[in-house]
């Protein structure tokens, strides 16, 4: 799509103009594109940045890293000028960088609160990875800071913007399963020694914070309800040095106000692809895998008939959808579908699950 | 296999002779065959009796029913003489019927205790359907009565004798999954109004007693351990008259001494085929369906490789295996693999699950 400056001037008067705005200058934000400064250049940032590149309304305009070399390489790839590379000391200078509209917090869990609050103070909007924080108090402080700074806060719940999960929700809401009775969900993996996820100070806890949160959140978006009774068990089986600080397994049951019950497992000791099954009076629906970056498959046998749909979308499509949504909200003055309050709720339920399992966090 | 009386005399000195003994006279017990008197001619008896017919070591030799006509029809089919048809009043006269070695208790749950104890007093062995009883006290009384009468008591846990379930156990014990971490299991169905299962006095409780017990028992035989922490939620969603006395849904989590955790759901409000998935450090194993009478399928991706095995056995093979086992035990002075004590354990855990869910039983 080639636009003259004159064409663009016309387009820019339309609400959706920003979705079509071309990048005018490498390294500076295209008019109408939301510029993201990525904080933390680890694994998940490596999914987010290509996702952003695939959107029409977002771009990477800043980087924060303790590794300048790595940041320079990525900056070159994404057309970010060297002057927009920050470290953890001078990070707050993003306040003066007009190319940065929002930050993407991709740090270990325990650092989400500090960098969300610092970013809010610079006047930038915040897209923060899940889990939102490592404590309810931190989550509340993050929301307060963003409110005080009048910036928007969104938590990176990819599945809220992912078509297979959205279809599952839609089928349930449309009554294809009849009355939902019970849900099962699991997600886990066999963790390697030495990961920061095994450090309680950085991670807050074990698999529940990291992957179990997907099952917890899924039970909430599948039912559209908040759990009112939670009970849990947790354990460490492998005394091989990995689980000196965090739990290895968590199993929990939830009851929702309607009476729907849910049972979930999460682990750092076994590979669980991540799935849920929803059992209703008129049939069932299963998404397996449900939470990984690609290869999502929805199967159902319900009032709508039999379904077996493998989603062909490939990574980084989830991140693209997530960035697209937040940018759209920022550009149109809308609240994101997964605001800080959504992350806070999960933090409260996580605290209840740990409490029931006898684990102090 | 044709045997002369002389051949048979020789064979009968061998431990396994009874497995090959031909039926000599219709209507009376074949030498070496265990004769069963079936108490209650409902749905499950209709699976058990054909199963017995398919064994080489068991036969139907008596019937107890409140419906003489129905009993006469079945008696004719199985070669049971009219004199071996009893009702619930004269049932105790089986004491004087030498063709009856054991009874099969196929009555509603709350009647298991009475008829097991009465049968024991007649000197007959007892194969009692699951759930063993509707209370821990009843289960204890049943065991005591059988001990006092020096008769054997087995609970009808079909899956303990079923090849696909046995293979799952063997794979786990052999280490094919590495260290087991977590198990998920469910079983349920959408119950029709008017079933005796909805009458608390007859059933003891809802789906946990009836079908949830399969998941509970499976978690125990898959781990080879007894749960040490149990927590649960229960609910009624459908206020349509079905659930005035018993719960509709139960969701529970268990922790075993090794640290293995398990999460289970059961329902009377949705059709759940019955499955379990076992997650280990070296892979996973799933049986789905696991608990129904046929069509059991084991899939795994573990140290042994990838498996996908559909068991071709058809109903009533589970009942055949169960009767074959108990008869073999009776004929050889062995303890059954699922004795009364096994049923009692489940009754204790069921009581704990209900207790945790706030349901009085």
């Amino acid at each position: 799509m080639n636009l003259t400056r004159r064409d663009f001037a016309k387009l820019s008067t339309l609400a959706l103009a920003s979705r079509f705005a071309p990048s005018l200058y490498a390294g500076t934000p295209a008019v109408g594109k939301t510029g993201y400064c990525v904080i933390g250049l680890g694994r998940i940032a490596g999914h987010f940045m290509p996702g952003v590149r695939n959107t029409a309304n977002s771009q990477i305009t800043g980087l924060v890293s303790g590794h300048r070399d790595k940041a320079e390489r990525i900056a070159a790839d994404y057309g970010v000028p060297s002057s927009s590379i920050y470290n953890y000391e001078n990070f707050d200078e993003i306040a003066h960088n007009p190319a940065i509209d929002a930050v993407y917090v991709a740090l270990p869990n325990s650092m989400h609160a500090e960098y969300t609050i610092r970013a809010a103070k610079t006047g930038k909007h915040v897209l923060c990875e899940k889990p939102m924080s490592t404590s309810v108090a931190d989550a509340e402080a993050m929301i307060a800071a963003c409110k005080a700074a009048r910036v928007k806060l969104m938590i990176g719940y990819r599945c809220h913007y992912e078509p297979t999960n959205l279809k599952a929700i839609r089928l349930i809401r449309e009554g294809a399963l009849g009355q939902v009775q019970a849900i099962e969900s699991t997600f886990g993996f066999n963790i390697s020694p030495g990961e920061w996820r095994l450090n309680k100070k950085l991670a807050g806890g074990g698999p529940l914070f990291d992957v179990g949160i997907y099952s917890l959140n899924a039970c909430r978006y599948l039912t559209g309800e908040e759990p009112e009774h939670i009970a849990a068990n947790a354990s460490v089986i492998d005394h091989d040095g990995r689980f000196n600080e965090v739990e290895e397994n968590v199993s929990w049951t939830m009851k929702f106000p309607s009476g729907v019950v849910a049972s979930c497992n999460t682990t750092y000791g076994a590979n669980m692809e991540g799935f849920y099954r929803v059992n209703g009076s008129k049939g069932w629906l299963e998404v397996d895998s449900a939470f990984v970056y690609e290869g999502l498959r929805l199967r159902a046998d319900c009032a709508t008939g039999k379904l077996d749909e493998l989603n062909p979308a490939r990574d980084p499509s989830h991140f693209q959808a997530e960035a697209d949504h937040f940018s759209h909200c920022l550009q149109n003055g809308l609240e994101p579908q997964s605001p800080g309050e959504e992350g806070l709720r999960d933090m409260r339920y996580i605290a209840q699950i740990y409490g029931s399992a006898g684990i102090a966090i």
Side-chain angles (χ1 to χ4, degrees), chain A:
Chain A
M1 184 173 186
N2 289 314
L3 295 173
T4 63
R5 283 180 174 270
R6 187 183 175 87
D7 290 333
F8 181 72
K10 278 194 238 163
L11 260 178
S12 66
T13 63
L14 301 170
L16 286 171
S18 61
R19 307 296 280 278
F20 302 98
S23 180
L24 298 179
Y25 304 101
T28 58
V31 174
K33 280 199 180 187
T34 295
Y36 287 89
C37 176
V38 176
I39 311 176
L41 302 179
R43 191 184 54 81
I44 200 150
H47 296 271
F48 179 77
M49 293 184 290
V52 165
R53 180 147 55 188
N54 290 349
T55 68
N57 66 358
S58 313
Q59 64 178 358
I60 304 300
T61 56
L63 301 173
V64 180
S65 175
H67 303 279
R68 183 82 196 184
D69 286 358
K70 185 179 185 181
E72 290 281 6
R73 281 197 305 276
I74 292 170
D77 190 14
Y78 283 86
V80 175
S82 284
S83 58
S84 293
I85 299 176
Y86 302 85
N87 58 42
Y88 294 103
E89 286 68 48
N90 68 7
F91 156 70
D92 309 273
E93 293 172 15
I94 65 169
H96 313 297
N97 188 335
I100 296 173
D101 300 298
V103 301
Y104 171 64
V105 181
L107 296 163
N109 308 342
S110 67
M111 302 164 76
H112 291 182
E114 176 187 346
Y115 283 86
T116 292
I117 292 167
R118 281 172 67 180
K121 287 181 178 167
T122 69
K124 307 300 184 183
H125 304 286
V126 180
L127 172 56
C128 178
E129 260 307 323
K130 42 61 55 187
M132 181 173 181
S133 61
T134 54
S135 73
V136 170
D138 275 358
E140 290 170 338
M142 292 159 77
I143 292 170
C146 291
K147 278 216 163 71
R150 296 172 182 269
V151 298
K152 292 190 191 297
L153 171 59
M154 169 168 148
I155 310 303
Y157 286 110
R158 290 181 286 113
C159 298
H160 288 223
Y161 311 99
E162 187 288 313
T164 297
N165 280 277
L166 290 173
K167 175 155 189 179
I169 296 170
R170 195 171 67 245
L171 285 167
I172 292 167
R173 295 291 182 280
E174 290 172 356
L177 305 190
Q179 173 60 56
V180 172
Q181 304 289 341
I183 302 174
E184 300 93 48
S185 183
T186 66
F187 198 18
F189 64 97
N190 198 347
I191 200 166
S192 300
E195 280 215 32
W196 67 260
R197 287 171 173 76
L198 296 167
N199 178 321
K200 189 167 184 174
K201 191 165 180 302
L202 289 175
L208 179 59
F209 265 107
D210 189 40
V211 279
I213 192 173
Y214 283 93
S215 293
L216 166 61
N217 197 257
C219 291
R220 293 178 51 237
Y221 59 69
L222 293 169
T223 58
E225 296 184 70
E226 301 300 327
E228 60 178 15
H229 291 295
I230 294 179
N233 281 303
S235 70
V236 171
I237 296 179
D238 294 303
H239 298 282
D240 55 13
R242 288 181 296 169
F243 304 105
N244 295 337
E245 301 187 11
V246 303
E247 83 280 1
E248 185 173 20
N249 299 293
V250 186
S251 170
W252 75 100
T253 167
M254 298 185 282
K255 181 172 152 182
F256 293 85
S258 66
V260 174
V261 293
S263 66
C264 304
N265 282 341
T266 186
T267 185
Y268 271 167
N271 290 321
M272 292 170 167
E273 280 287 309
F275 97 111
Y276 51 78
R277 189 184 292 172
V278 185
N279 308 277
S281 59
K282 292 184 181 169
W284 56 268
L285 172 159
E286 182 177 291
V287 180
D288 185 2
S289 300
F291 309 128
V292 291
Y293 298 150
E294 57 186 37
L296 276 63
R297 183 181 180 192
L298 184 154
R299 292 188 310 130
D301 188 354
C302 60
T304 308
K306 287 195 179 191
L307 301 175
D308 188 347
E309 298 174 0
L310 181 65
N311 188 331
R314 305 298 296 264
D315 182 48
S317 70
H318 298 193
F319 295 89
Q320 176 185 345
E322 178 180 281
D324 184 86
H325 176 79
F326 195 44
S327 297
H328 177 70
C329 290
L330 297 180
Q331 292 163 19
N332 295 280
L334 304 172
E335 277 308 300
Q337 201 279 329
S338 56
E341 289 76 5
E342 173 71 1
L344 170 60
R345 286 183 207 107
D346 276 350
M347 293 309 306
R348 288 184 172 139
Y349 304 129
I350 285 174
Q352 285 183 42
I353 292 169
Y354 279 123
S356 174
I359 292 178
I361 56 165

